[in-house]
Amino acid sequence: MAEPTVIPQRGKTTEPATIVLAGATGDLGFRIAQALLKRGAAVRALVRAGNTKPEVTLLRDLGADIIEVDFNSVTALTNACAGAACVVSALSGLRDVIVDGQKRLLDAAVAAGVPRFIPSDYSIDYTKLSNGSNRNLDLRREFNQRLDQAPIQATSILNGMFTDLLTGQAPVVLFGVKRVLYYGDADQPLDFTTTANAAEFTAAAALDPTTPRYLRVAGEVATVRGLQAAATAATGQPFKLLRVGPLGVLGAMIKVTKALMPSTDEVFPPWQGMQYLHNMFTGLPKLTPLDNARYPDIRWTPVREVLAAKK
């Protein structure tokens, strides 16, 4: 276990840093909480009143302080943030959460005098994309414009695509037909990071008072040909490439799909995933430079290991 990170307290001996975590019962948030506790942090997990998810009990058993809070009340959130070294958001949702909800959390952090804030980004580099190219990333860009105007030190963590999606939600590595599907250039470098690695890095960053505005990491940078080689090595069976067409074909498919389901409250409807892949295949949001070496105790999980677990 890593040595506890401590912050000086006026008139007191040093104590473990307190990190406030919103979204702690989600997959990424729960992993961030575990990583923070492993690093010796005092974790204050914010949950809605009446939350009965099993993660609440698990977090409490692991040593986290569970705080039931009204996420619509800046006053309640301010009280929950008091004395924290950093507020970390792992919230997931649409405008009401990513823009409005995080704005209330940000206002609370500022009012409570918290020195640092980590927003719920965990994505490709949306700063290089134009508005309208990805709904979910547009919301993150909008919130971060507000964050940049707030009197608080902010750090966004960008990690490309979650490698875990390659074994299910992202239709790229097709295990049934032994194909790797793609559009455009098979040699375009793409960024992949496991959820667990993103959580580990976020925990380390939350406890690091010297982080810059952006930190960029990739568990592995792989081309489509690299994914093909990883899938072949992971399964012991030869995978082939399946080029559907140029990026324009994918763009047209996105428009058709959105037209068939224009209004949706889903965070990840089919066309949203297609937008993400289109962004990645253009190469525009490629992460550079990478900050993988910032916390040398983190072991980055390669794509092959993730695909091997699918067998």
Side-chain angles (χ1 to χ4, degrees), residues 6-280:
V6 296
I7 54 175
Q9 303 288 326
R10 183 176 297 177
K12 299 181 180 180
T13 57
T14 55
E15 298 176 358
T18 296
I19 307 299
V20 169
L21 176 60
T25 61
D27 182 27
L28 176 61
F30 184 69
R31 292 172 186 265
I32 292 173
Q34 289 177 297
L36 282 167
L37 291 165
K38 185 176 180 181
R39 287 181 177 272
V43 176
R44 196 179 295 165
L46 307 186
V47 302
R48 297 186 186 281
N51 189 322
T52 58
K53 287 186 176 181
E55 287 81 4
V56 174
T57 300
L58 291 171
L59 285 170
R60 185 180 287 114
D61 291 344
L62 288 170
D65 189 10
I66 305 299
I67 306 296
E68 291 192 351
V69 66
D70 180 0
F71 280 87
N72 293 315
S73 169
V74 174
T75 299
L77 289 168
T78 300
N79 292 334
C81 291
C86 182
V87 170
V88 177
S89 174
L91 295 171
S92 177
L94 298 179
R95 172 170 295 279
D96 61 324
V97 176
I98 297 301
V99 178
D100 301 333
Q102 285 199 119
K103 181 59 167 58
R104 288 189 291 272
L105 186 62
L106 171 62
D107 290 344
V110 171
V114 179
R116 301 174 58 244
F117 190 98
I118 296 178
S120 185
D121 286 348
Y122 317 112
S123 63
I124 51 182
D125 195 344
Y126 59 81
T127 68
K128 299 177 181 178
L129 298 174
S130 59
N131 282 324
S133 69
N134 188 304
R135 179 198 63 181
N136 290 10
L137 297 184
D138 287 347
L139 295 175
R140 281 159 172 77
R141 182 187 299 105
E142 180 179 342
F143 172 72
N144 275 278
Q145 289 171 348
R146 299 187 183 187
L147 179 57
D148 285 336
Q149 298 172 0
I152 196 169
Q153 180 182 341
T155 295
S156 289
I157 295 172
L158 306 177
N159 55 253
M161 174 186 281
F162 287 121
T163 318
D164 320 62
L165 297 179
L166 290 174
T167 63
Q169 289 179 260
V172 177
V173 180
L174 309 179
F175 289 88
V177 295
K178 305 295 185 293
R179 296 289 188 275
V180 177
L181 180 148
Y182 73 102
Y183 299 81
D185 185 1
D187 295 310
Q188 170 60 51
L190 310 168
D191 299 309
F192 299 95
T193 307
T194 64
T195 308
N197 276 162
E200 289 179 278
F201 191 87
T202 301
L207 293 167
D208 176 3
T210 68
T211 52
R213 180 63 183 86
Y214 290 95
L215 285 172
R216 300 171 175 87
V217 295
E220 182 174 346
V221 178
T223 65
V224 168
R225 296 188 198 280
L227 295 179
Q228 176 192 16
T232 298
T235 63
Q237 301 178 36
F239 274 65
K240 296 182 179 180
L241 298 183
L242 176 58
R243 186 177 189 271
V244 180
L247 281 172
V249 171
L250 180 55
M253 291 173 62
I254 293 171
K255 291 180 180 179
V256 171
T257 305
K258 287 189 69 175
L260 294 174
M261 49 183 308
S263 299
T264 177
D265 293 329
E266 292 181 66
V267 179
F268 299 108
W271 52 264
Q272 171 61 38
M274 295 164 70
Q275 283 186 333
Y276 208 88
L277 286 175
H278 187 280
N279 294 150
M280 291 184 70

